[in-house]
Amino acid sequence: MFYKNIHIRIKLVFVGIILLFFLIIFKVFYIQVFNYKKLNKLADLLWNRNLPIEADRGKIYDSKGVVLADNKTTVSLVLIPNQIKDKEKTAKELSNILNTSYKDMLAHVSKKTSIERVHPEGRRLSFDIADKINSLKLDGVYLVKESKRFYPNDKMLAHTLGYVGIDNQGLSGLELMYDKYLTGEYGAIKYISDAKGGKLELEETYLEPQDGMNLTLTINAELQKVLEREIDNAWGKYNPDQAIGIIMNPNNGEILAITARPNFSPSNYQKYNVEELNRNLPIWATYEPGSTFKIITLATALDENLIDLENDHYYDSGRISVENARIKCWKAGGHGEETFLQVVENSCNPGFVVMGQKIGKEKLFEYIKKFGFGNKTGVDLNGEAKGILFNLDKVGPVELATTSFGQGVSVTPIQQITAVSAAINGGILYKPYIVKSINEPETNTVIKQNSPKIVRKVISESTSEKVRYALESVVTNGTGRNAFIDGYRVGGKTGTAQKVKDGHYMSGNYIVSFMGFMPANKPEIVVYVAIDNAKGITQYGGTIAAPIVRNILKDSIDILNIKKPSGASEKNYNFNEKKYVTVPNVVGKTLKEAITELKPFKVEYSGAGNSVIYQTPKSGERIYEGEVVKLMLK
Amino acid sequence: MRKFDKTLFITVILASIFGIIMIYSASNIWAEYKFNDQFKFVKHQLLFFILGIFLMIIISKIDYKKIYDNSNKLLLAIIVLLILVLIPGIGTVRNGSRSWFGIGPLGIQPSEAAKLILIIYASKYLSLNQKNIKKLKECVLPILGVTMFIFLLIMLQPDFGTGVIIVMSIIGLLFVAGANLKFFIKLGLIGVAGIIGLIIMAPYRLKRIISFINPWSDPLGSGFQIIQSLYAIGPSGLFGYGFLNSRQKHFYLPEPQTDFIFSIIAEEFGFMGIIIVSTLFLIIIYKGFKIAINSQDLFRKYLAFGITFELSFQAILNLMVVVGLIPVTGVTLPFFSYGGSSLLITLCSMGILLNISRNSS
């Protein structure tokens, strides 16, 4: 009985102990099941270390697939100090290979950090140095891939593309605007670490880096090269303060080429000052457009049926009085009796003042705004300006008069080319754009696509046709003759604008420009070039900018495959100008016959015999009279 | 004389061997790092294991009366040793406690022996004073006095965990012997008051208590060990990472071969490891209590119960700390945690259990 009580109590204690063991087992179960997620996540954070692997930045292509911004892959040295057991030996070996001081390297190797980059000596290593380091097989010494931005065409399109910083982050231009698309995702070598940072030989996973998205632009690299070349030539020839060039497809607002001077080399952007780097002049610069703006006045007057180009006349005495001001024509003594077509051809200021007076300030400013002036075009580039227009309440007769020929308004080059595109494409204002699509790098799946966006209809199709006709006349008969390309239909308008400084016009300091397009009957390309303060030459748009645009248009024939039209207008020659003559076919003829037929040209021949077997240029080509035609005889 | 309990013997051997294997797995990284010898701890433990098995078998064969007769002398000897260990120059300090007699690289902890000796003494005392068990002054207070004296000596080292185990073992014995339940309730209240007093005296103890409920409230301080233990237990799943594959032993869990070895077992063998360890303990505890019930006289009954109860209490205390059920107390897991004296004394007490099993009915 007495023992029995003791035994009961022992059994009671035993039951208590069993219950406590069950409690412990249940707690373990609870930890493993209910706390699993949290603990696993935290423990992973504790154990896992990442050795980052850089992804390639997305490439930037032109519309034909030419690479404009590329990557160069290099390797960089990464140290994990906790894994380096023999610090002295490692530091010695590395400093020998990298040719750096042992002391610095020892500091890197001994640094209390999980991952140490040896900057800058250990970054962007050459292949044989990387190979040497690799062959040593040192603990805690890793070589990881690094990707460096590379611009194959150096300065070409610099402002638009922008540049990247040392960590491949976009700092300006498209590189900045589309940084989140272009930036890839880091990959990593993941490994399990001990509490001292050492690597556990348990498992190692490789997480592939995700390359950034590719950009495809509306830019045509060939046209861009042509534009850059021409602007470079002008830059060298005239030593101007600034130069601007834009090429656009007038039928959809695609920017085909765009450039500015001064420009910079994106790989060495640190060497340039902030203004040179950040001012993308074609969208940032605002200035008085001068005569190119007359296209707008002309389009307005035609759209409102206020003038008849061929039948309405105006007598230009060389000046016109508006209120108390006298506005002079650029030609001393004036142009005399003119049709309005001739007013346009001659870029006659008083004639445009009359046009403006017929339109009236409300209508003129309504059209100016409809053409997109006074507002940003919304082009997908950073740093666009919107320009300045007169406040309508403050527009008196003088302001109306000057606005008619492009003074007293402040506009950007992109606004001008966009507005002129609308004036000549049938009257539709498009929103200009430069990024065509964003593509996933591996599958090339389109992530985002930009398509032409119509802003509004500005003028009628028939008005636009008249504008094209008038502007073609400018090139064939008028101030734009220097842009004439024989056998093709070119339209255009010159511009010479005085620059304003501190509220006054500067003397002898102009922005000369030319707006040209082709073919004049059905434009496929518009080119705008502006040269700011050309030196050592009389500053007229017709003499400086028109030849540049001509060269660009000429090269674009092959690039854009522009067909030779049948009804090209013949150029009206000045007395001192050389004429174009078509070369006749002389192959098969005798030398004598050939010389007679080739009268307008200089004939050179080679070979013995009397019969022509080969001629260059070939028949049907047009060259200036007096140029050489070579013949081969047999 | 009959043969001893084979199941108990085998289970004890299995638990000890499993313990030694786990000490190797838990300690090899630390041992390599600190001493350039990954076997440093396991060799040490193996030495005590062999010695312990030898002693266990001897003790299982001697006449139990020798223990009974010498219990007073043993108590006196251990009190002397507990006092000596406190004297600087004689006792050495490890981990902040002056609990060791250093003999070369080995250390002997007298407090471990004190646990067993006090149970022997109390068993004899209670078997002699059985008729007065209900009387507080005549029977209960004197033995509690002796216990508190030894508790105090151990707290001077200080070694709170061992102190608590000693006190609780004697209370367990008193309960089984039939002391008044009201008295235990009062004792419990005094205990609670004492704990509150201790917290007021040193508020860091409150932090410790809170940190076991939410260890992330002080992740680098008092919650650190518990968090590291949970990281070992939580993600390991049903079967764990496999032998030697613990991650937390790689310097995350400080001294993983001691108090928190159970975390490493859970990490490497998962939930199954926990079941195995619990089963081994429950077999030993079941056998121990069975031997107590089957033994013929009161002394051996109390002795068998006391030894088993102490082992259970210490194991439960350790496991509850490791799984985050109670605050960190600094108690080792018998058979598993690294510690020569602890293993030696545990094996000796198992020898006593085996000895008693030979004479049970």
Side-chain angles (χ1 to χ4, degrees), chain B residues 25-54:
Chain B
S25 177
S27 72
N28 65 340
I29 301 296
W30 267 103
E32 177 72 33
Y33 178 72
K34 266 182 148 171
F35 305 105
N36 276 324
D37 176 9
Q38 55 169 322
F39 297 103
K40 166 93 181 172
F41 292 109
V42 75
K43 279 194 291 199
H44 192 187
Q45 190 77 354
L46 202 61
L47 196 72
F48 278 95
F49 171 68
I50 292 161
L51 190 64
I53 295 293
F54 194 60

Side-chain angles (χ1 to χ4, degrees), chain B residues 81-291:
Chain B
L81 286 173
L82 284 174
I83 292 166
L84 279 177
V85 84
L86 294 173
I87 299 164
I90 301 173
T92 48
V93 179
R94 286 183 194 178
N95 296 332
S97 301
R98 193 175 294 281
S99 311
W100 277 269
F101 290 117
I103 306 164
L106 308 178
I108 297 288
Q109 251 180 310
S111 51
E112 289 292 337
K115 289 194 288 194
L116 179 58
I117 288 166
L118 192 62
I119 284 166
I120 296 168
Y121 177 79
S123 300
K124 183 181 175 184
Y125 176 87
L126 288 174
S127 65
L128 290 173
N129 290 283
Q130 190 60 51
K131 34 186 196 308
N132 294 328
I133 191 70
K134 301 284 179 198
K135 293 174 183 163
L136 204 60
K137 275 185 194 165
E138 279 85 355
C139 175
V140 177
L141 283 184
I143 185 67
L144 271 182
V146 172
T147 307
M148 288 317 288
F149 177 62
I150 288 170
F151 174 73
L152 267 173
L153 286 175
I154 289 171
M155 284 306 283
L156 285 172
Q157 296 178 355
D159 183 352
F160 180 70
T162 307
V164 166
I165 290 163
I166 283 175
V167 173
M168 282 309 294
S169 303
I170 300 307
I171 288 171
L173 261 178
L174 282 169
F175 167 71
V176 167
N180 210 333
L181 276 174
K182 274 186 202 159
F183 172 71
F184 291 104
I185 292 163
K186 280 179 198 160
L187 213 62
L189 287 174
I190 291 166
V192 170
I195 289 166
I196 291 167
L198 283 172
I199 289 168
I200 292 165
M201 271 163 60
Y204 79 90
R205 292 198 175 98
L206 182 67
K207 221 174 159 189
R208 266 198 169 189
I209 289 167
I210 289 165
S211 78
F212 96 88
I213 298 163
N214 178 17
W216 278 272
S217 65
D218 186 11
L220 295 176
S222 50
F224 182 76
Q225 282 180 306
I226 259 305
I227 289 172
Q228 299 306 323
S229 174
L230 292 178
Y231 285 165
I233 298 167
S236 67
L238 195 55
F239 299 107
Y241 294 131
F243 180 56
L244 292 177
N245 289 339
S246 157
R247 290 168 180 183
Q248 287 296 86
K249 70 178 178 183
H250 289 89
F251 313 117
Y252 290 108
L253 202 53
E255 307 223 13
Q257 73 276 19
T258 60
D259 297 3
F260 280 84
I261 193 162
F262 188 68
S263 311
I264 305 296
I265 297 172
E267 196 180 11
E268 295 192 348
F269 296 102
F271 194 70
M272 290 317 294
I274 284 145
I275 299 291
I276 290 167
V277 171
S278 303
T279 307
L280 288 171
F281 272 111
L282 283 172
I283 291 170
I284 294 168
I285 293 161
Y286 171 73
K287 280 291 169 190
F289 285 153
K290 202 160 183 196
I291 289 163

